[in-house]
Every structure is written in C-alpha cells, then in structure tokens.
Amino acid sequence: MSPKFEPPELNKKAFTCPYCAAYAAMDWQSLATYGQRIGISWKPILIATCHHCQKEAIWLNEEGYGVQEMIYPRSSTAPLPNPDLPDECNRDYLEARSIAESSPRGAAALLRLCLQKLAVHLGGNGKNINDDIAHLVQQGLPARVQQALDVVRVVGNNAVHPGEMTIEDKPQTAIALFGLINLIVDNQITQPKQVAELFSNLPDGAKSAVAKRDGKA
C-alpha cells in the first residue's frame, strides 16, 4: 500500500512533513514583533517545526482574507501517487498535484483524464469512461472502488462542464480525489500483485495441490 499521507493543515498536531515526507508531530509558534510605542504585535505568520527532521514550514493565517496556507516550502498538500500507478497515468497525476492548490478545477479535470487512462489499464476500452466503469462492475469490481471511480469521474466532468458542484468553493474536494486514485490503484493493481508474488513463492508441491483441488491442469 502507499505510505500514510496526512495533508498539511494549519494548526494540525501532526501531518506528512513537506520536507522529509514522514508522518510526524508538529510544533507551532506564532511570530511577533516588538515596538517601543506599540509593544508586542502579533503577525499572521506561524511556524510549524517537524519533530522528525526539525525543519520549519512557514504558514500564512489571514483569516479576514480567507487565506490559511503554507507559503514555504511551496509543496502540494495532495498525496504522492501510488508507485504502481501506470506511467501513462502518472504524468497527469503529477501535473494535477502541481496545481492542486492554485487551480482545484484544473487538478480535478486532469485527474479525470488520469482516471480515463487508468480505466483502460484495468480493462476498459477508453472510449467512454462511464461505459468502462459499467464493464468493470460487471467483472466484479467492489462497490467501494466503483464509487471511487464515479466520484473522480463526476467531479472531473463538472470541473470542465459546470453542473451542480462548484469545486472552487470546496478545494479540499480536489485534494480528496488524489486519495481516491490511489485507493483504486491499491485495490486493483497493488494488492493483486502482492498476493501473486506471495503465492508464486509457495513450494511447487503446495501449488500443485491447490491446482489439483481446484480442477486446474
């Protein structure tokens, strides 16, 4: 499975560090300046220090302007792709990740394209993503994975052709789509590969006995 990823968030006690990628506790400090006339003046700047690598991330907290974000390092809050994501999908995923904060709508559209390519890898023909999902369901796709596919499909479609959902109002929805892509890959590619590798390492006698039991040549 992919490593645990907890997106960075203002004042969150622990998340995946943008420097060392470890899931670690964070110490938060607010910045202040001192002037003889005004005394202490608190600034809308906070520092998060990682317990694992001791590096500091700088956050802006301008609540009045609706801005609460990490300004250094400039790192996406979206999770990295599952290592088993096919190469032809990986490029779209990483491009979407690079713009997830600045353009949630663009990221959702790119992830919809990523999903269309992934569906082909899973057995679809790539002509119509909805038809591909229906085909995968007929082949026994788990309901949880079908729902993940449809969420990415519908949100991605609405990013290009506005409908009932306005993703600009809910940027965290775009971030959540990355996790759904990784869930699909983990269920349909990573887990079967891991099971196949473990089974292939069984003694030949045990594998022959299984084949005989199941009526396989």
Side-chain angles (χ1 to χ4, degrees), residues 128-151:
N128 183 296
I129 192 170
N130 194 46
D131 291 343
D132 284 348
I133 294 173
H135 171 73
L136 293 172
V137 169
Q138 292 173 356
Q139 301 302 310
L141 189 74
R144 182 182 65 163
V145 180
Q146 167 262 307
Q147 291 173 357
L149 286 159
D150 279 318
V151 169

Side-chain angles (χ1 to χ4, degrees), residues 39-119:
I40 294 177
S41 175
W42 294 100
K43 301 296 183 182
I45 301 293
L46 292 91
I47 304 294
T49 304
C50 173
H51 276 213
H52 186 261
C53 69
Q54 301 303 310
K55 290 187 177 180
E56 298 176 336
I58 303 173
W59 289 72
L60 179 63
N61 183 25
E62 284 279 17
E63 293 186 72
Y65 295 95
V67 178
Q68 294 179 305
E69 63 180 13
M70 183 167 59
I71 57 177
Y72 186 83
R74 296 302 296 180
S75 176
S76 177
T77 59
L80 290 167
N82 185 307
D84 290 322
L85 182 67
D87 289 341
E88 63 270 24
C89 308
N90 203 50
R91 290 188 293 271
D92 298 320
Y93 186 104
L94 292 176
E95 184 179 351
R97 188 173 184 268
S98 71
I99 64 170
E101 284 74 25
S102 61
S103 179
R105 183 168 169 259
L110 281 166
L111 289 178
R112 192 249 182 236
L113 177 61
C114 173
L115 180 69
Q116 186 166 359
K117 295 177 181 179
L118 178 59

Side-chain angles (χ1 to χ4, degrees), residues 5 68 94 124 165 214:
F5 181 89
Q68 294 179 305
L94 292 176
M165 298 178 65
D214 297 338

